[in-house]
Amino acid sequence: MAKILALVDGSIYSRSVAGHAAWAASRLGLPVEIAHVLGRRIATNFDLSGNLDANARTNLLRQMADLDEQHGKLAQQKGRAILDGARSEVEAVGGVEVSTKLRNGDLLEALGDLEADAEMVVIGKRGEAADFARLHLGSNLERVVRSSKKPVLVASRSHEPFDRFVIAYDGGTSAHRAVDYVAASPLLKGLSCTLLLVGADTPENRSRLDAPFGRLREGGFEVEARLRNGEPEEVIGACMESGKAGLLVMGAYGHSRIRSYVIGSTTAELVRRCKVPVLMFR
């Protein structure tokens, strides 16, 4: 059965991830699975061959093994506490079936299995170790969005009700996927849509809006099409900061990691700037 997969890590965003996941699940009529991946513990290797006699070396190695086992148990307890807290948040919404899963290993290795039957993946904008003062994005966010084969809903700091959303449309493959998904899915049905294309006001650009506009209207949406000139980060960011829309839908990471490192990423900048959730498609 399909599900909403919510990834939590114990950060301040875990509560919001649970709230966004419960919202999506209730709109889609699906259960929520909350997952926490512990990650691999880094083993510390000491060369004790020439420093200690046999008995001292044996005792020290035994203590190190005991300490590693204790750390493992504490990590398991912390993981279960994180999952229980997120589960309570989903259950508070009511009417949503919820389960939890605790995994060991690398997040991306676990993601392939966890998202196999998922309709959508929900993750927080920032993780437990993110620098909030500098508005750094979570270290796993880009990794998950680039690796996931499913739509990824990036949770904002808190989950708030909304009645309007924006689709940032650029004519690319991922933007087409976003429009097709929104038009066919019950996720956003009944909400007003702004279809935004950033570019010069030319007949060619205006005609690029015709197909997605028609697709959304066929899907039953009230749609307002806009064509605005400027830099995508500024135009889309200003649109979202106007406070009229509560969700941004967009394609994600159109360039390679190397290119994004050199010239920056529109995706990362918009996720960093927006104070609302962002639904992204690869």
Side-chain angles (χ1 to χ4, degrees), residues 16-93:
S16 177
V17 167
H20 283 82
W23 166 80
S26 62
R27 299 281 300 188
L28 296 171
L30 296 175
V32 172
E33 181 176 85
I34 306 170
H36 177 61
V37 182
L38 294 174
R40 294 191 180 93
R41 298 200 303 276
I42 300 175
T44 302
N45 297 317
F46 295 96
D47 182 4
L48 306 175
S49 58
N51 299 319
L52 301 172
D53 60 35
N55 289 334
R57 184 164 58 250
T58 299
N59 288 334
L60 183 56
L61 289 173
R62 183 182 300 113
Q63 291 178 46
M64 291 170 59
D66 291 343
L67 184 60
D68 185 64
E69 182 180 0
Q70 183 180 7
H71 285 166
K73 290 180 179 179
L74 289 173
Q76 292 275 337
Q77 292 174 10
K78 178 183 178 182
R80 283 191 288 270
I82 290 170
L83 290 173
D84 288 344
R87 180 179 190 134
S88 296
E89 292 292 333
V90 175
E91 289 176 338
V93 174

Side-chain angles (χ1 to χ4, degrees), residues 57-194:
R57 184 164 58 250
T58 299
N59 288 334
L60 183 56
L61 289 173
R62 183 182 300 113
Q63 291 178 46
M64 291 170 59
D66 291 343
L67 184 60
D68 185 64
E69 182 180 0
Q70 183 180 7
H71 285 166
K73 290 180 179 179
L74 289 173
Q76 292 275 337
Q77 292 174 10
K78 178 183 178 182
R80 283 191 288 270
I82 290 170
L83 290 173
D84 288 344
R87 180 179 190 134
S88 296
E89 292 292 333
V90 175
E91 289 176 338
V93 174
V96 177
E97 181 183 341
V98 57
S99 61
T100 61
K101 186 170 289 186
L102 185 64
R103 293 285 297 268
N104 291 292
D106 179 74
L107 174 60
L108 294 191
E109 292 178 2
L111 181 63
D113 175 56
L114 290 170
E115 74 165 11
D117 55 350
E119 171 76 13
M120 178 182 299
V121 177
V122 185
I123 187 173
K125 182 185 295 189
R126 297 183 178 89
E128 192 174 21
D131 187 342
F132 282 81
R134 297 185 180 184
L135 297 181
H136 286 171
L137 297 178
S139 60
N140 286 320
L141 175 58
E142 181 177 353
R143 298 173 69 219
V144 168
V145 175
R146 286 189 182 276
S147 300
S148 178
K149 296 179 175 59
K150 305 299 173 70
V152 177
L153 178 60
V154 182
S156 55
R157 188 73 173 266
S158 62
H159 178 251
E160 304 293 341
F162 61 92
D163 57 11
R164 175 174 289 276
F165 64 96
V166 172
I167 299 179
Y169 181 80
D170 63 2
T173 301
S174 58
H176 284 296
R177 283 194 64 205
V179 169
D180 287 342
Y181 182 91
V182 170
S185 170
L187 180 70
L188 299 173
K189 283 292 191 293
L191 307 181
S192 298
C193 173
T194 296

